[in-house]
């Protein structure tokens, strides 16, 4: 928690806390970031050198969808349910929507690209191998 940012304990949703639009956490001081362009071994790699964490910025992005869920902007997976039905002691139903949740988008500023490593798979060999095996009887 960032001691310089007041935190609303009444609406604590951890990382998804909107906290009156103020990011309540301290940024980890990353010097480098390694990016891949997909999630397997055939991905290109790029090593980035970042500016100091004092320049990192977080903005709240993401509101509840029509069903009352906070949905990840990239994967469309449900991160958190923000809508619920509450029953009181007389079994009276009340719809409750918690608008104090959000998805935070963090901006890391890149100083320079340190290294770029393209995927070294020889795709011609792979496709030649596949086409040769297409004619094999089972």
């Amino acid at each position: 928690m960032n001691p310089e940012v007041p935190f609303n304990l009444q609406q604590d949703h951890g990382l998804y806390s909107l906290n009156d639009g103020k990011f309540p956490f301290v940024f980890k001081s990353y010097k480098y970031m390694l990016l891949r362009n997909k999630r397997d071994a055939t991905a290109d790699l790029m090593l980035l050198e970042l500016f100091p964490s004092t320049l990192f910025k977080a903005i709240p992005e993401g509101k509840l969808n029509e069903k009352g869920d906070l949905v990840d902007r990239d994967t469309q997976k449900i991160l958190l349910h923000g809508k619920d039905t509450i029953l009181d002691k007389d079994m009276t139903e009340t719809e409750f929507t918690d608008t104090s949740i959000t998805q935070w988008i963090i901006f890391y500023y890149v100083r320079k690209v340190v290294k770029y490593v393209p995927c070294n798979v020889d795709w011609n060999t792979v496709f030649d191998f596949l086409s040769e095996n297409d004619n094999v009887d089972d």
Side-chain angles (χ1 to χ4, degrees):
M1 300 294 290
N2 186 344
E4 297 175 14
V5 177
F7 186 69
N8 184 345
L9 292 173
Q10 305 304 318
Q11 296 176 326
D12 182 2
H13 303 288
L15 187 58
Y16 300 112
S17 297
L18 179 58
N19 198 45
D20 298 321
K22 296 178 183 92
F23 191 65
F25 304 102
V26 176
F27 292 110
K28 269 195 127 157
S29 184
Y30 293 112
K31 186 170 182 177
Y32 297 100
M33 182 182 290
L34 180 65
L35 299 180
R36 301 180 83 119
N37 67 351
K38 53 185 165 176
R39 295 179 186 232
D40 62 32
T42 63
D44 297 341
L45 301 171
M46 188 172 5
L47 181 63
L48 306 174
E49 182 180 345
L50 303 176
F51 277 101
S53 62
T54 54
L55 298 177
F56 296 174
K57 182 170 78 171
I59 60 165
E61 183 177 299
K63 295 181 181 170
L64 303 180
N65 67 10
E66 61 280 348
K67 294 180 182 177
D69 298 321
L70 179 64
V71 178
D72 184 87
R73 73 180 197 142
D74 296 323
T75 66
Q76 301 307 308
K77 291 183 179 178
I78 295 173
L79 300 172
L80 208 59
H81 300 291
K83 192 176 196 180
D84 202 356
T85 303
I86 300 173
L87 298 173
D88 67 12
K89 63 182 178 180
D90 299 324
M91 300 303 285
T92 305
E93 292 184 359
T94 304
E95 286 260 328
F96 172 74
T97 303
D98 191 346
T99 58
S100 68
I101 57 177
T102 192
Q103 181 177 18
W104 289 94
I105 307 302
I106 300 175
F107 292 88
Y108 300 94
Y109 294 98
V110 177
R111 183 180 300 252
K112 67 180 177 179
V113 175
V114 177
K115 188 170 188 173
Y116 173 73
V117 180
C119 172
N120 61 0
V121 173
D122 182 357
W123 291 109
N124 290 328
T125 305
V126 171
F127 290 123
D128 288 344
F129 174 77
L130 290 175
S131 61
E132 289 171 10
N133 287 332
D134 287 342
N135 298 328
V136 176
D137 292 331
D138 289 335

